[in-house]
Amino acid sequence: MDARRATTTVPRVRQVGFFTPNAPPAQPSRTHSFPLDSSSPPLSNSPVNNSLSPVMIPPSRHLSDNLVHRATSPLPVPEPSAFRRPIRSHYVAVVGSYNPTESLLGSSPPLASPSSRVIGDGEFSEESSAGWFRRSNSAKFASSFSGAFDLTSVKSSETGGFHQVKKPVVAQPKEEKSGAAAFVEPQINKVLSSSSSTKPLKEKTTKAERRALQEAQRAAKAAAKDMTVSVGVSTSKPVKHQPAQRKDAPPPASSIAVSDRKGVERSMEKERRKDIPAPRMQFDDKSRVEKAKKRAVVNQSEARNRVELFRHLPQYEHGTQLPDLESKFFQLDPMHPAVYKVGLQYLAGDISGGNARCIAMLQAFQEVIKDYSTPPEKSLTRDLTAKISSFVSFFTECRPLSMSMGNTIRFLKSRIAKLPLTFSESEAKASLCADIDRFINEKIVLADNVIIRHAVTKIMDGDVLLTYGSSCVVEMILLYAHELGKQFRVVIVDSRPKLKGQALLRRLVGKGLSCTYTHINAVSYIMHEVTRVFLGSSSVLSNGTVYSRVGTACVAMVAHAFHVPVLICCEAYKFHERVLLDSICSNELGDPDALSKVPGRMDINYLDDLTNKDNMQLLNLMYDATPSEYVSMIITDYGMIPPTSVPVIVREYGREYLWI
Amino acid sequence: MDFQVVVLAGGTSKNLLPLVSKEVPKALLPVANRPVLSYVLEQLELSNLKDLIVVVEGEDAAIHVGGWISNAYVDRLHVEVAAVHEEVGTAGALRAIAHHLTANDILVVSGDLVFDVPPGALAAAHRKHNAVVTTMLCPAPVSGPTESGSSGGKDKIKKPRRYNIIGLDPSKQFLLHIGTGAEVEKDIRIQKSILRAVGQMEIRADLMDAHLYAFKRSVLQEVLDEKDEFQSLKEDVLPYLVRSQLKSEVLFNGVPQTEENGNEKVSSQNNQAVVSRIMANASTPSFHELSSGYNGSTHVRRIHKCCAYIASESRYCQRLNSIQAFSDINRDVIGDASHLSGYSFSAHNNIIHPSAQLGTRTTVGPHCMLWEGSQMGDKCSVKRSVIGRHCRIGSNVKVVNSVVMNHVTIGDGCSIHGSVICSNAQLQERAVLKDCQVGAGFVVTAGSEHKGESLARK
């Protein structure tokens, strides 16, 4: 936002950072300039940037933090000594990336500070230009914060909408020169008139806090005295402040308020309990595993030689599961055929990829709902939820669910829970089916469209784009850019044993793109010529960690070392509030045999008779976690954001699809 | 799971003369003293498939089969017995009962199959690939007893080995070519287009089509309606579907698409396309999709998938479609595949009914069955044989590798090797039979020797 107050030359400077040396200078086409500048608000306040002249800006530069250590390190040269320097300077970069927030809000934790800033943005724009916004709160937020489109609006109409949004905003912040965080603090105070609640808190408490705030405003109508107390106290544990309440408030007013609050609190508690994810099954806990086995539909025998560090993850003998499940085809009476089919496909690996798995699951549930009829003396809400839960546990047995699927299931269950009681069964079923359709359309298809439109602005003529594995969004981006007539080259990095990249390569080559195919072993060689890295992801977590196909972290790190910007393309429904620091505690183990066997190579059979040796363990990890410092930008359906802004999206929009 | 089961029980098969007769149609031939049809029905019951349609050729046979089923399974299974004309073939039989078929997928089982492969596995493979037809392939049976002693005699009976020539894709999931036994001697004609699309075909002769199919109902009915000349599922319908899988002539491909469009009225066509593309890209493409995609997206090829489910070697699966198979199956059911028979074996690995009477110095070896009310004289020896109810066997009789059905009288000093003796037959003293079939009620005169003959009343 602060970027917009600067003269028009500033955004152009930043754009240059993304250009290749031989590319023509800024060609702002359509939505071009806005996503670009708005995606990097922290950058514009940093002193480094302010002093930067267009000449100094190097080609193919990292969006925000690389600019800082630009001065300290030269361009990476492919010799071992130079290879090191960027790595060392990367530590500088880590500090630098938090520069704007840390320098100004010294004490606040880096994770929370951007979120507090964003609160300010949202609230602030509401204050200053409420009349301009006809959209809902969320949409306005998106457009003012990151220049994202509204999901439903068409591209052409949006550019107009942007100007509308910006004008009032630009005028305001001129009075505060210091920077985003600094001007936000007083702003919040003004709006909320209570500094305690705006303190950057951890993700968990912000919800409670906001609720309390709402509630307080409601209570203010009844008793003015009540308000101050509740705001002060309710940020802590809600159980505690009831006696305090009774003391302070006058009897008639408080009794209403308290009873009101009691109800709210109870529901709050309930919701909070729901929010806490059920403790993950730890598969090194023998007794629990035994219990789970009794319940299980799929008869699984656990793999014998498991890597010690990953014993808590489920790992089964891959050969035995499928035939066993298949042979039970007719015995599983309560299982819906559609669910069964999808489960089989998960197990056999016929469907992979986050979006596809999610869509397949949703479509199976749609079939279930269509064929569902409430048994007598049961309510649809409860019975259907139980049914869905049993199907979900079946899916989990077939293959551990991805985090995005968890989000989706949460959405579906909340839709079922919130069905109006007045609905007849057919109405309820129709509305649920429509909800599922809408979820697929808005959260996946349209979200992908928006991501594509955003990402294409980052592809310039002459670019060399690197991608890893096969991500459907990245593929669509590349194809769309190709359709637009952009001249670029694609490097597809792949890895054994899945070799998903080959399918992508085939499709891209078929469409006439010029591609280079290589394996991840060669990524450090190929990275020299690469100007941008586009990666897909399975999930993005609150701390900005990108949870993705194993090998992604490696590619991102190499790209970071070579100062190549890493853009993660991920739909917002895949964001998760969990925080992940490593890829050990939450991961998935694939078929270990896939490592030892090379298809089509009979001569490579060194491991054939070793699989049951006690001193040999095979580890086929499916995912890894990329730390946020290697990620330049996350392209999502709410716009292009730095990884630090993920918690904001999770908080502000996490509930949104529960409300649709 | 939306599957309907059709059991094709057949009628009085010519291959099995003189074992079968009007009174004992093929489905009721005893295998270890149980009608062969019971093996199929019980396997289906194990898989929780309790609504069955049993199709029998010929009215008389249908009455017999229906009578037996209603006696044996009165409270366990819900069976409809349908009679069709003789000689209509398997396809014709299905055509005749087509109006009974309503489920999405049809499981067609031959009534003469003795197997322990869970039919669910086939159905699951069928559903997983959304195939139009899935067939079960099992390792071709090794004919004749395994031990060398008696195999010399077996080889002399030249039975056409009903092997199939089967082409599979490298993943062994799709069926690319199927040729039945009769065609094996001739050249194999393989379609270039399929070979080009797949790139690699594995041709196997050691697999047998077990005549257990899952069909998509819409396709099956369409094919049956349009191709009047099709007589047999195995020889006409299946090869036709396999042959035309890349240039499908059946219209069913349009049907699911329109259904889907109808379902998602909210979403525009465009979104639909995106979703389907995401799904297509994410799933491992079979050669069908690859080949159709390669020819350009403007011309969408109509394809359908023909899958194969290969039963593992450890499973038992055999068809009772020849006399050789009959004795093989009888031997296996009381021998190697004894779990199929459902009887509990004694410590000597044989079954002797408590009411059976044995003379002195009579031995009944392992893998034998002596059923209720049978009497044996002194100094008899029974090896690897099944003897039915109320047989009267004299002294000094040798029965090896044979099947003796019910109410058979065998005189003193007979020797029976590798033979089948049907009910009510009579063997007078010192008859020697080797590799013979004795029809029901036939009388073998005293002292006669027969080798490799089929003896029946004219």
Side-chain angles (χ1 to χ4, degrees), chain A residues 336-339 342 360-373 384 388 391 429 433 436, chain B residues 104 259-260 263-264:
Chain A
H336 191 275
V339 171
V342 172
M361 183 181 71
L362 282 175
Q363 284 175 342
F365 284 152
Q366 217 170 14
E367 292 294 312
V368 169
I369 291 169
K370 264 179 208 149
D371 294 346
Y372 176 82
S373 64
L384 190 58
I388 298 271
F391 294 155
K429 279 159 71 176
C433 286
I436 290 177
Chain B
N104 265 341
E259 270 174 17
E260 275 170 29
N263 294 343
E264 303 180 28

Side-chain angles (χ1 to χ4, degrees), chain A residues 326-327 329-330 345 350 352 356 441, chain B residues 47 118 120-121 128 267 282-284:
Chain A
E326 280 181 342
S327 61
F329 186 75
F330 290 111
Q345 285 172 329
D350 285 351
S352 56
N441 278 331
Chain B
S47 294
K128 196 172 90 185
S267 63
S283 55
T284 24

Side-chain angles (χ1 to χ4, degrees), chain B residues 34 333-334 338-354 368-369 371:
Chain B
R34 272 167 56 192
V333 164
I334 54 167
S338 54
H339 57 281
L340 278 170
S341 64
Y343 302 118
S344 54
F345 284 76
S346 71
H348 299 291
N349 220 352
N350 56 15
I351 307 164
I352 298 173
H353 198 271
C368 282
M369 179 179 245
W371 211 235

Side-chain angles (χ1 to χ4, degrees), chain A residues 107-333:
Chain A
S107 61
S108 70
L111 180 73
S113 57
S115 67
S116 73
R117 169 167 50 78
V118 167
I119 294 176
D121 284 358
E123 296 289 347
F124 163 64
S125 52
E126 193 172 22
E127 278 284 289
S128 63
S129 58
W132 288 92
F133 298 110
R134 63 200 185 293
R135 290 185 197 149
S136 66
N137 189 36
S138 58
K140 170 203 357 154
F141 183 87
S143 53
S144 65
F145 170 54
S146 57
F149 320 167
D150 189 296
L151 281 176
T152 47
S153 65
V154 201
K155 209 176 59 186
S156 56
S157 70
E158 269 162 278
T159 41
F162 276 126
H163 290 295
Q164 278 189 343
V165 172
K166 259 126 217 177
K167 266 171 205 161
V169 179
V170 169
Q172 200 70 357
K174 273 187 181 167
E175 48 193 3
E176 275 140 13
K177 298 227 167 169
S178 51
F183 88 77
V184 159
E185 279 288 302
Q187 202 68 40
I188 294 165
N189 292 353
K190 244 184 270 168
V191 174
L192 303 178
S193 72
S194 82
S195 59
S196 68
S197 59
T198 57
K199 277 251 166 74
L201 287 162
K202 273 178 196 157
E203 178 53 27
K204 251 188 185 172
T205 48
T206 45
K207 181 178 59 69
E209 163 208 282
R210 278 184 298 123
R211 224 161 234 285
L213 204 70
Q214 245 180 26
E215 182 202 328
Q217 281 161 353
R218 211 180 303 138
K221 284 172 192 165
K225 229 182 183 181
D226 215 26
M227 187 196 81
T228 49
V229 181
S230 70
V231 170
V233 185
S234 63
T235 48
S236 63
K237 271 207 167 177
V239 192
K240 274 184 191 169
H241 63 84
Q242 273 190 7
Q245 206 88 72
R246 246 167 233 159
K247 258 185 255 166
D248 286 357
S254 73
S255 64
I256 301 164
V258 164
S259 65
D260 182 31
R261 187 162 304 123
K262 257 188 188 167
V264 173
E265 270 158 16
R266 209 170 295 133
S267 68
M268 232 164 81
E269 282 268 279
K270 226 187 249 172
E271 200 153 306
R272 188 179 296 171
R273 215 173 298 138
K274 237 186 263 168
D275 278 346
I276 298 169
R280 285 195 144 219
M281 172 98 166
Q282 299 293 303
F283 282 81
D284 43 0
D285 186 343
K286 286 242 168 63
S287 61
R288 273 170 190 272
V289 169
E290 282 303 312
K291 267 185 212 161
K293 231 183 220 172
K294 275 176 204 156
R295 286 197 305 268
V297 176
V298 188
N299 191 9
Q300 291 160 324
S301 55
E302 297 205 16
R304 284 185 60 227
N305 294 334
R306 291 183 295 169
V307 178
E308 187 59 42
L309 192 56
F310 292 95
R311 268 186 194 268
H312 58 285
L313 299 173
Q315 184 171 18
Y316 303 110
E317 299 279 4
H318 269 250
T320 59
Q321 280 168 286
L322 194 57
D324 186 73
L325 183 61
E326 280 181 342
S327 61
K328 276 199 217 157
F329 186 75
F330 290 111
Q331 274 98 328
L332 299 171
D333 248 347

Side-chain angles (χ1 to χ4, degrees), chain A residues 616-658:
Chain A
M616 189 190 76
Q617 293 153 350
L618 293 167
L619 177 64
N620 182 10
L621 276 183
M622 303 282 271
Y623 293 100
D624 65 10
T626 310
S628 60
E629 56 257 41
Y630 301 124
V631 176
S632 318
M633 177 199 275
I634 295 172
I635 306 178
T636 177
D637 31 341
Y638 298 111
M640 294 185 274
I641 56 167
T644 44
S645 298
V646 172
V648 182
I649 301 257
V650 171
R651 191 191 58 212
E652 296 296 323
Y653 300 99
R655 314 256 148 235
E656 185 208 45
Y657 54 79
L658 304 183

Side-chain angles (χ1 to χ4, degrees), chain B residues 214-232:
Chain B
F215 282 102
K216 189 170 267 184
R217 180 185 52 89
S218 53
V219 176
L220 181 66
Q221 284 182 335
E222 197 177 312
V223 171
L224 291 178
D225 285 349
E226 284 183 7
K227 310 275 176 181
D228 290 330
E229 71 278 9
F230 281 2
Q231 284 272 310
S232 155

Side-chain angles (χ1 to χ4, degrees), chain B residues 13-317:
Chain B
S13 160
K14 276 184 199 143
N15 283 337
L16 287 170
L17 284 176
L19 305 187
V20 292
S21 60
K22 281 267 184 316
E23 289 76 40
V24 186
K26 183 175 160 188
L28 298 183
L29 270 184
V31 171
N33 283 321
R34 272 167 56 192
V36 61
L37 190 59
S38 68
Y39 290 88
V40 173
L41 297 186
E42 268 162 38
Q43 194 63 39
L44 293 172
E45 192 190 4
L46 268 182
S47 294
N48 219 5
L49 294 165
K50 294 186 175 166
D51 286 315
L52 315 172
I53 301 175
V54 175
V55 187
V56 186
E57 283 182 359
E59 292 286 342
D60 294 344
I63 292 167
H64 285 291
V65 172
W68 170 75
I69 288 176
S70 52
N71 265 336
Y73 294 99
V74 60
D75 49 349
R76 289 154 68 190
L77 295 175
H78 179 253
V79 182
E80 267 180 71
V81 180
V84 296
H85 279 293
E86 292 175 49
E87 309 300 320
V88 287
T90 44
L94 278 181
R95 212 175 274 140
I97 57 146
H99 56 278
H100 286 296
L101 304 177
T102 48
N104 265 341
D105 294 282
I106 311 287
L107 200 65
V108 180
V109 194
S110 177
D112 59 3
L113 196 63
V114 178
F115 69 116
D116 61 352
V117 186
L122 175 86
H126 183 70
R127 275 286 162 78
K128 196 172 90 185
H129 293 290
N130 198 18
V132 300
V133 58
T134 305
T135 175
M136 185 164 82
L137 305 174
C138 56
V142 186
S143 198
T146 39
E147 77 221 74
S148 55
S150 51
S151 67
K154 291 282 170 197
D155 286 349
K156 281 170 193 163
I157 313 169
K158 292 249 167 107
K159 297 278 174 205
R161 290 188 149 191
R162 285 257 161 208
Y163 282 176
N164 299 113
I165 296 290
I166 285 162
L168 295 168
D169 81 314
S171 67
K172 295 186 183 167
Q173 289 177 326
F174 297 105
L175 201 58
L176 308 178
H177 176 83
I178 185 154
T180 41
E183 297 168 33
V184 172
E185 322 307 310
K186 302 181 214 157
D187 313 340
I188 309 176
R189 284 165 184 273
I190 289 166
Q191 274 182 304
K192 260 191 194 165
S193 58
I194 293 180
L195 197 56
R196 208 181 301 127
V198 188
Q200 195 181 341
M201 186 190 288
E202 189 180 316
I203 293 188
R204 312 248 320 229
D206 60 338
L207 291 174
M208 182 188 79
D209 176 9
H211 215 295
L212 173 57
Y213 307 112
F215 282 102
K216 189 170 267 184
R217 180 185 52 89
S218 53
V219 176
L220 181 66
Q221 284 182 335
E222 197 177 312
V223 171
L224 291 178
D225 285 349
E226 284 183 7
K227 310 275 176 181
D228 290 330
E229 71 278 9
F230 281 2
Q231 284 272 310
S232 155
L233 284 181
K234 184 174 181 163
E235 278 155 34
D236 298 320
V237 177
L238 185 62
Y240 166 75
L241 285 173
V242 170
R243 222 163 39 228
S244 63
Q245 56 184 320
L246 284 183
K247 44 177 176 33
S248 176
E249 290 162 32
V250 270
L251 289 167
F252 63 91
N253 258 2
V255 179
Q257 275 172 14
T258 48
E259 270 174 17
E260 275 170 29
N261 290 347
N263 294 343
E264 303 180 28
K265 284 166 199 151
V266 195
S267 63
S268 65
Q269 284 287 330
N270 195 17
N271 291 344
Q272 191 78 45
V274 174
V275 170
S276 60
R277 207 174 70 203
I278 291 174
M279 296 302 290
N281 288 352
S283 55
T284 24
S286 69
F287 63 90
H288 301 94
E289 283 107 22
L290 287 179
S291 70
S292 61
Y294 225 46
N295 291 358
S297 52
T298 49
H299 159 68
V300 179
R301 264 206 203 175
R302 287 224 300 254
I303 50 157
H304 59 241
K305 292 182 188 171
C306 301
C307 294
Y309 173 80
I310 302 178
S312 71
E313 304 250 341
S314 58
R315 299 289 191 173
Y316 187 82
C317 179

